[in-house]
């Protein structure tokens, strides 16, 4: 994947892309929890799971209109990955692409996350 230049205001953010996928992340105090309704959805699946010992919420979404670029989207939200006693710091990663293979790739990426201890 190739890194894109992005600038966050109050958190650490990043964005990468390949020929078929876009990946973005937001590590900070005000990240989305992935639950916002996006409208015109054909399919939405969600699950709560554990990744590297931390609770995570995953959402998989497809839009009804197949002409929408990146019509398949996935997101994982870790609600508290910061140091204890500090402000709540969350981590959000999202992956978008053209088809259901996006979800498979996103799940592999999400489940590969490891946190420093």
């Amino acid at each position: 994947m190739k890194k894109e230049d992005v600038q966050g205001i109050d958190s650490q953010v990043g964005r990468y892309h390949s020929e078929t996928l876009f990946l973005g992340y937001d590590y900070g105090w005000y990240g989305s929890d992935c639950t916002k309704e996006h409208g015109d959805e054909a399919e939405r699946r969600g699950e709560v799971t554990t990744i590297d010992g931390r609770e995570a919420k995953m959402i998989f979404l497809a839009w009804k209109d197949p002409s929408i670029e990146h019509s398949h989207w996935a997101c994982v939200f870790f609600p508290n990955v910061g140091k204890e006693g500090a402000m709540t710091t969350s981590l959000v990663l999202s992956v978008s692409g053209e088809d259901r293979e996006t979800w498979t790739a996103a799940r592999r990426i999400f489940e590969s996350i490891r946190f420093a201890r």
Side-chain angles (χ1 to χ4, degrees):
M1 295 191 106
K2 293 183 181 180
K3 185 176 182 176
E4 296 180 15
D5 290 329
V6 293
Q7 180 66 44
I9 296 172
D10 56 15
S11 57
Q12 185 175 3
V13 298
R15 186 164 164 92
Y16 296 82
H17 71 274
S18 70
E19 300 257 337
T20 57
L21 295 175
F22 286 83
L23 179 142
Y25 69 86
D26 183 333
Y27 174 76
W29 295 338
Y30 305 108
S32 165
D33 68 358
C34 300
T35 59
K36 180 180 176 188
E37 295 289 328
H38 291 80
D40 205 26
E41 298 170 4
E43 184 177 355
R44 172 187 279 265
R45 297 186 324 216
E47 62 186 76
V48 175
T49 188
T50 301
I51 298 174
D52 194 33
R54 297 187 186 257
E55 181 180 316
K57 182 187 310 179
M58 288 194 284
I59 302 289
F60 300 90
L61 171 67
W63 278 270
K64 290 179 184 173
D65 183 352
S67 70
I68 293 175
E69 187 176 24
H70 313 295
S71 62
H72 288 71
W73 177 84
C75 180
V76 64
F77 169 68
F78 295 91
N80 190 5
V81 295
K83 296 179 181 176
E84 285 193 39
M87 254 182 104
T88 301
T89 303
S90 62
L91 174 64
V92 179
L93 278 84
S94 63
V95 175
S96 62
E98 301 300 323
D99 56 30
R100 291 178 85 79
E101 290 301 313
T102 299
W103 294 345
T104 302
R107 182 179 292 279
R108 281 195 315 267
I109 291 167
F110 299 161
E111 291 177 348
S112 74
I113 294 170
R114 297 296 174 261
F115 293 93
R117 305 228 192 274

